[in-house]
């Protein structure tokens, strides 16, 4: 297998709009970087990015039309009446992939647990290329969407892709996650039209239940890890977002989440506060007291021993933060208020990414409607969760939580009954950002956008990330297409035309650099 | 106006079942008490209780049939579709009263505020007797009922009066408040049939919106105080319950209620706890903290200065408690648990009746459903109320509450925004249990049930009580007919046959003693 230098500096066009818009960072012409030695199949020439990029530009209306067709299918997984549309969307994807020359299967997942009148939507799996001398990249996305109604406050019809003068393409699923999913199809199409060989074998895993808990997917991935997905060399997931609006990022970490319920019960039924107020222990009084002992107003977790589980901050890690394109104004804008806890962006991002947090979500069983009701609830269940980070093991966290809550409740000398349990947990995930999978993606960002990407983590969890890592044993990369302003899950969801078209280039370029990266990285 | 002794000892029948069942207290033959000097009209003989009582016994099936007809009308004021039935019930009452010889009017209250497509049910007012030489007693009750569906768990059809072998008469409204309302009609009927003159003029005020906030009633009472109700010498309300199941009570006090909302807001919209947990001040964290500073697990109110507003316990008042027929088992039975705070019945009843209490009812805006949602609510509103007692003035209570909450919130150093306000207040009420209105009722209880009544207060509020007192300036007595096990507002509401029939005797006897009590008492 010959290795040869791929000179990409030729692709850099001085004054290219995408480069020049990052003038504050300064354009970073690719030529200034070292040459790369690719991992190339057989004796063929390395595929070239320039014709691919050109083809993406000239096919852009076709690609937008593909997104328009996809958005028009209301594949809302959470609503029974739309289940047929979710299946229709699976068929659409399968048809498109087949037309592009991929081998496609729609894999059934059986009945929906708890809703046995519904079939789960299939996982659409596809293979494009089967060359043993190429790397195989497994890409994941989802083709179902969040619910959307015009009357929720959408400015446009949610299931009609509507493009405004700024190139914002509004529509449910545009950014989450139909745009990124179609990005992979666009990559295949542009290669075929440009006559450029795909540099890797591509395996696709597109699910239809992501917005409803990815029912059935974990088992499917585990089962196929040594079968359909067995050739996988690395995994790429495009289902998150840039930190801001201008600078792409690669995401190498996610926090986990341990979700708890703490129940306090006393009387056999709800009581009238006039009759019983003052003479009976009130579960809500006890609960409020216990919940107030979990976290202080500055976000400090009050559970003894919990912070000792957190991996210490290293100088190396600390050094990553100052360069990240994020400001306190970004925080205030996303909050819609200036109620951030920390004074600097570094501390803010660390609090979000690499330290645990504890949020109290609400109370079940108490009076929650507007107005005034004088009930003493008989049983109340407080809900809170802890976002976990390295090296917090779930079992250790649980023990500290349970012990602390029991101790605080005991101090109350209440005759009520306490119960506390874990509702669910999901582990944190941190990948090595020095793996070739990340290096390739970094180079692709630099090539397409002219900037080094932010290396980010996220505060939330994307459970499928860890599932892929554990099932395949391979490196997983999160490579987002959309920006922080895309309003996924909200009204007026959109994907910018630039993010979609340049994002398609990014996904393609990533595959080329993946093909070229040395294994040792 | 001649005054003459009414010797009622002749009415005591040794071995009478109602007397003998109170053997633990021992029958208290009326003959052992002093003679009473009545306030009698013109030259007529005082009406006799014996023929009235006999007539009630012999008319009992007629009276039960009257209740059966009333229960069959589903006069649910909270449900739009039953509004016609509420009107039907008003008509039923008006017809019955008219047939008994009363002057009756159905007074319209206009449209229902906020539901202008609905007319408020009328107040049925009636006058029976207009003798200037007799006292005039204004009686209040309500003819609307709580909602009820068989499928809520009723053992019988809720709107079919069903009598079991123990004499329990099940049906919605049986005890709350159709039984007591019809009690007054039964009293008139029994007098007429027995040929006994009514000892007082009776004014009736029966409303049809009590279970839905008595919309419009306060204004009506204020407006009629110097008109329809102008002759009122005292007021009697039968719309509460005995403390237990065997011993009647007279109720001379109610706690008031100040209901508060405390709102804490921060971000412009709900946040994802993964993304923002740890980097933004969370309103729910602050709220839980503030709420935990209001009351401790032993029911002690933590608001500085609040307890200083409470009238001190006098020795005289303290002496009332030991004799009251109540046990800790009664408390545990009604709680369905042994989660009472205080070790003795005296402290329990004082906590319920004569000390304030603070209950936290719930949180609006936080996650309240079953399951797990990882939201950070943007704005949460805690609801709590303080049951007030003499001599707590609402304005003083508000100031202490607001100051305390603001001070506790300030300690948190949160950037969120606090707001706290009073949703509504209702003043406590305490009448003089030595007023002739109470003395008369006490004698009536002793006459009918052979025991001295418990002199009770209630922890809850019956706002119309205070309205009548303030509007008429007269003494108001709460004279319950039903027992503590009647399950008003719950499934399987019932009124015991004994409580209904002996209760009718009680209401009639009360009117006779009212006629005889000296004004100075």
């Amino acid at each position: 297998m010959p290795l040869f230098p791929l000179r990409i500096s030729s692709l850099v066009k001085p004054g290219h709009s995408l480069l020049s818009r990052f003038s504050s960072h300064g354009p970073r012409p690719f030529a200034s970087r070292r040459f790369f030695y690719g991992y190339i199949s057989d004796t063929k020439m390395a595929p070239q990015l320039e014709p691919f990029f050109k083809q993406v530009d000239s096919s852009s209306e076709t690609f937008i039309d593909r997104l328009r067709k996809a958005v028009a299918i209301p594949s809302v997984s959470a609503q029974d009446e739309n289940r047929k549309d979710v299946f229709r969307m699976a068929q659409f994807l399968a048809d498109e992939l087949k037309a592009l020359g991929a081998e496609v299967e729609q894999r059934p997942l059986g009945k929906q647990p708890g809703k046995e009148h519904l079939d789960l939507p299939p996982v659409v799996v596809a293979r494009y290329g089967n060359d043993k001398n190429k790397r195989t990249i497994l890409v994941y996305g989802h083709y179902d969407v969040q619910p959307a109604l015009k009357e929720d406050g959408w400015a446009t019809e949610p299931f009609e892709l509507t493009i405004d003068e700024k190139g914002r393409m509004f529509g449910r699923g545009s950014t989450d996650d139909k745009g990124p999913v179609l990005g992979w199809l666009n990559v295949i199409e542009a290669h075929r039209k440009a006559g450029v060989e795909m540099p890797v074998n591509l395996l696709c895993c597109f699910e239809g239940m992501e917005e409803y808990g990815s029912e059935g997917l974990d088992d499917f991935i585990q089962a196929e890890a040594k079968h359909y997905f067995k050739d996988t060399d690395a995994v790429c997931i495009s289902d998150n977002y840039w930190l801001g609006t201008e600078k792409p990022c690669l995401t190498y970490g996610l926090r986990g989440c341990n979700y708890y319920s703490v129940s306090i019960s006393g009387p056999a039924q709800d009581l009238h506060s006039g009759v019983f107020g003052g003479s009976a222990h009130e579960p809500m009084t006890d609960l409020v007291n216990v919940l107030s002992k979990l976290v202080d107003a500055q976000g400090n977790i009050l559970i003894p021993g919990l912070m000792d589980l957190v991996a210490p901050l290293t100088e190396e890690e600390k050094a990553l933060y100052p360069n990240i394109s994020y400001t306190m104004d970004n925080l205030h804008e996303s909050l819609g208020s200036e109620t951030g806890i920390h004074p600097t962006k570094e501390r803010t991002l660390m609090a979000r990414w690499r330290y645990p947090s504890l949020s109290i979500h609400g109370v079940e069983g108490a009076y929650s409607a507007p107005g005034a009701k004088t009930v003493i609830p008989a049983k109340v269940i407080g809900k809170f969760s802890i976002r976990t980070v390295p090296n917090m093991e779930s079992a250790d966290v649980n023990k500290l939580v349970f012990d602390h809550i029991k101790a605080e409740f005991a101090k109350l000398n209440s005759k009520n009954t306490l119960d506390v349990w874990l509702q669910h947990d999901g582990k944190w995930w941190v990948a090595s950002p020095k793996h070739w999978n990340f290096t390739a993606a970094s180079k692709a960002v630099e090539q397409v956008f002219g900037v080094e990407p932010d290396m980010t983590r996220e505060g939330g969890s994307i459970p499928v990330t860890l599932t892929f890592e554990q099932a395949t044993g391979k490196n997983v990369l999160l490579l987002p297409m959309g920006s922080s302003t895309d309003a996924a899950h909200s009204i007026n969801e959109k994907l910018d035309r630039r993010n979609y078209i340049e994002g398609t280039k990014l996904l393609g370029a990533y595959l080329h650099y993946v093909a070229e990266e040395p294994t040792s990285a």
Side-chain angles (χ1 to χ4, degrees), chain A residues 326-379:
Chain A
Y326 190 77
T327 66
M328 292 306 288
D329 283 345
N330 291 147
L331 175 69
H332 298 155
E333 193 184 348
S334 55
L335 289 176
S337 66
E338 301 202 354
T339 57
I341 292 176
H342 308 290
T344 64
K345 83 166 184 191
E346 288 82 358
R347 285 180 61 184
T348 297
L349 290 176
M350 285 184 199
R352 178 183 295 190
W353 294 348
R354 65 101 55 229
Y355 286 115
S357 62
L358 190 153
S359 296
I360 302 167
H361 306 298
V363 179
E364 180 184 341
Y367 178 59
S368 61
K373 190 176 170 185
T374 56
V375 68
I376 296 174
K379 179 179 180 175

Side-chain angles (χ1 to χ4, degrees), chain A residues 73-217:
Chain A
I73 302 171
S75 52
V76 179
S77 50
Q79 293 170 183
D80 292 14
E81 63 272 25
N82 291 111
R83 185 56 53 90
K84 62 180 189 313
D85 301 310
V86 187
F87 274 84
R88 202 149 57 86
M89 184 64 205
Q91 189 62 49
F92 170 82
L93 270 185
D95 291 346
E96 294 280 302
L97 281 160
K98 213 166 288 173
L100 292 171
E103 299 161 24
V104 191
E105 296 176 43
Q106 295 187 49
R107 294 291 194 85
L109 293 179
K111 298 290 180 190
Q112 181 167 337
K115 286 193 174 185
E116 278 72 15
H117 59 291
L118 291 177
D119 286 311
L120 287 168
V123 180
V124 177
V125 291
R127 169 180 278 280
Y128 190 85
N130 199 358
D131 186 334
K132 293 286 174 214
N133 292 312
K134 291 180 183 172
R135 278 182 169 150
T136 298
I137 300 300
L138 169 56
V139 302
Y140 162 90
H142 64 90
Y143 61 84
D144 63 319
V145 299
Q146 283 278 318
L149 291 171
K150 179 85 159 67
E151 52 265 39
D152 291 342
W154 282 73
T156 61
E157 286 295 333
F159 296 104
E160 286 177 20
L161 193 74
T162 309
I163 309 175
D164 73 3
E165 71 288 348
K166 291 181 179 166
R168 296 180 299 186
M169 307 192 293
F170 293 95
R172 175 56 88 220
S174 54
T175 195
D176 183 19
D177 185 38
K178 290 178 174 177
V181 163
L182 298 186
W184 296 113
L185 276 63
N186 298 342
V187 165
I188 299 173
E189 181 169 340
H191 277 82
R192 291 169 66 93
K193 284 192 176 164
V196 178
E197 184 181 343
M198 282 280 279
V200 300
N201 304 311
L202 202 62
L203 285 177
C204 300
C205 176
F206 299 142
E207 70 155 324
M209 281 296 276
E210 198 273 347
E211 303 293 3
Y212 202 74
S214 291
E215 291 272 18
L217 187 71

Side-chain angles (χ1 to χ4, degrees), chain A residues 334-510:
Chain A
S334 55
L335 289 176
S337 66
E338 301 202 354
T339 57
I341 292 176
H342 308 290
T344 64
K345 83 166 184 191
E346 288 82 358
R347 285 180 61 184
T348 297
L349 290 176
M350 285 184 199
R352 178 183 295 190
W353 294 348
R354 65 101 55 229
Y355 286 115
S357 62
L358 190 153
S359 296
I360 302 167
H361 306 298
V363 179
E364 180 184 341
Y367 178 59
S368 61
K373 190 176 170 185
T374 56
V375 68
I376 296 174
K379 179 179 180 175
V380 285
I381 306 175
K383 313 282 181 79
F384 68 96
S385 66
I386 298 175
R387 297 285 164 173
T388 58
V389 297
N391 299 311
M392 299 167 75
E393 293 298 326
S394 183
D396 299 337
V397 174
N398 294 345
K399 184 176 182 334
L400 294 175
V401 167
F402 298 159
D403 286 353
H404 177 62
I405 286 182
K406 284 172 190 165
E408 288 297 330
F409 180 71
K411 287 182 195 166
L412 300 180
N413 272 318
S414 168
K415 293 176 188 157
N416 289 327
T417 303
L418 170 85
D419 199 4
V420 53
W421 66 96
L422 178 77
Q423 273 209 47
H424 63 69
D425 59 354
K427 199 174 154 65
W428 44 265
W429 165 79
V430 178
S432 164
K434 298 189 175 174
H435 188 276
W436 56 260
N437 197 26
F438 280 83
T439 316
S442 180
K443 290 173 183 169
V445 168
E446 195 146 348
Q447 179 59 33
V448 175
F449 291 94
V451 290
E452 274 187 85
D454 283 332
M455 298 303 291
T456 68
R457 289 160 72 163
E458 292 220 354
S461 24
I462 307 177
V464 75
T465 311
L466 198 67
T467 307
F468 275 119
E469 183 183 274
Q470 291 174 339
T472 66
K474 304 295 178 181
N475 182 277
V476 181
L477 157 74
L478 301 184
L479 181 59
M481 175 182 274
S483 85
S484 67
T485 56
D486 284 357
H489 291 215
S490 183
I491 57 169
N492 302 319
E493 177 181 346
K494 60 92 177 163
L495 176 64
D496 290 347
R497 183 193 160 100
R498 169 189 172 227
N499 285 61
Y500 183 52
I501 299 303
E502 302 306 312
T504 293
K505 291 181 189 169
L506 174 65
L507 298 182
Y510 155 71

Side-chain angles (χ1 to χ4, degrees), chain A residues 308-322:
Chain A
D308 300 339
L309 303 177
V310 178
L313 180 68
T314 63
E315 285 305 315
E316 187 185 26
E317 186 191 341
K318 200 172 167 184
L320 290 173
Y321 286 87

